[in-house]
Amino acid sequence: AQTVTQSQPEMSVQEAETVTLSCTYDTSESNYYLFWYKQPPSRQMILVIRQEAYKQQNATENRFSVNFQKAAKSFSLKISDSQLGDTAMYFCAWGGAQKLVFGQGTRLTINP
Amino acid sequence: EADIYQTPRYLVIGTGKKITLECSQTMGHDKMYWYQQDPGMELHLIHYSYGVNSTEKGDLSSESTVSRIRTEHFPLTLESARPSHTSQYLCASSDFPNYGYTFGSGTRLTVV
């Protein structure tokens, strides 16, 4: 069975700093996707970034980028120039053909 | 605009009452999911459906039941609510989970 582990329950940084959230996963499948979701306080969960496992190039979306290390089964999220609006729960997820498996989440707080 | 809707957004109800949490999506997705989110914010899959008349129990045992009579509608029912059911319930849908889920805004249920 697939598992996803986020080892940082909480993180806190100052506005404009760069922060990296860690995620490791375990799977025996060769074709899969990886995701980072953001859940702001009392708001809808939204997709931040998606990585296809067969692509070596790391995905980027504006200030958000990933460091995908397939052999190490590691998938970290880097947020550059952090903003107050980045304060949220962040979930790492592994995606197979039928469903996603989520990590435990990391609560990120951006301080002014 | 294609989206996924959950109602009610907040619900406070007495012990022993029957409740139905509504989830509807306008994207024509075959796959739909219910998650229970605990106070620590971890997501637990409680039910899922891969299409009309298909429902399965998830990883976390739940006293709730679901139905899938129409593609767009995936309601969750608690026959007799108890304080232990107090939680946030998130509904999600997908056509190909490899591309991620679309989440609803959630229902925060409090049983008193």
Side-chain angles (χ1 to χ4, degrees):
Chain A
Q2 289 74 28
T3 60
V4 177
T5 302
Q6 294 178 248
S7 59
Q8 305 152 313
E10 294 189 24
M11 297 188 71
S12 178
V13 298
Q14 295 299 118
E15 192 176 7
E17 290 183 347
T18 294
V19 58
T20 299
L21 280 58
S22 300
C23 174
T24 58
Y25 62 95
D26 189 22
T27 184
S28 58
E29 298 192 21
S30 57
N31 186 24
Y32 55 91
Y33 290 72
L34 295 163
F35 307 86
W36 278 98
Y37 279 87
K38 170 185 178 181
Q39 187 180 30
S42 300
R43 291 179 62 187
Q44 193 169 4
M45 183 108 68
I46 58 173
L47 179 64
V48 174
I49 199 165
R50 171 175 157 268
Q51 173 78 42
E52 300 166 31
Y54 61 87
K55 286 189 176 180
Q56 292 185 340
Q57 185 174 6
N58 290 322
T60 62
E61 288 287 343
N62 300 314
R63 297 182 294 107
F64 298 87
S65 62
V66 298
N67 183 4
F68 175 45
Q69 302 290 327
K70 190 172 184 178
K73 295 181 180 176
S74 170
F75 183 61
S76 60
L77 174 70
K78 186 172 82 171
I79 305 173
S80 303
D81 186 26
S82 58
Q83 300 174 358
L84 298 179
D86 295 332
T87 291
M89 283 292 295
Y90 287 82
F91 292 94
C92 177
W94 175 97
Q98 300 297 337
K99 57 184 175 181
L100 302 189
V101 178
F102 289 89
Q104 304 90 333
T106 296
R107 186 182 302 275
L108 175 65
T109 302
I110 309 299
N111 298 306
Chain B
E1 180 180 342
D3 209 339
I4 181 166
Y5 304 95
Q6 286 189 248
T7 57
R9 185 73 178 89
Y10 300 94
L11 178 63
V12 180
I13 200 163
T15 298
K17 299 291 186 183
K18 177 180 179 178
I19 57 171
T20 296
L21 308 185
E22 300 289 348
C23 177
S24 294
Q25 49 98 1
T26 60
M27 296 168 285
H29 288 168
D30 285 329
K31 298 175 177 66
M32 296 189 73
Y33 310 84
W34 275 105
Y35 285 85
Q36 186 172 340
Q37 190 167 30
D38 62 28
M41 303 300 281
E42 192 166 348
L43 297 165
H44 302 284
L45 180 66
I46 52 175
H47 297 284
Y48 59 98
S49 167
Y50 292 156
V52 172
N53 295 324
S54 155
T55 60
E56 301 286 344
K57 290 188 180 295
D59 306 319
L60 178 69
S61 176
S62 174
E63 295 169 344
S64 59
T65 59
V66 293
S67 63
R68 190 88 183 277
I69 299 173
R70 303 197 313 269
T71 297
E72 63 271 21
H73 194 212
F74 190 42
L76 181 144
T77 298
L78 278 166
E79 291 291 335
S80 180
R82 299 191 302 189
S84 61
H85 297 139
T86 294
S87 189
Q88 167 143 274
Y89 294 85
L90 297 179
C91 181
S93 73
S94 175
D95 46 7
F96 299 104
N98 280 346
Y99 292 92
Y101 293 172
T102 301
F103 280 89
S105 297
T107 294
R108 185 168 297 280
L109 172 66
T110 302
V111 183
V112 297

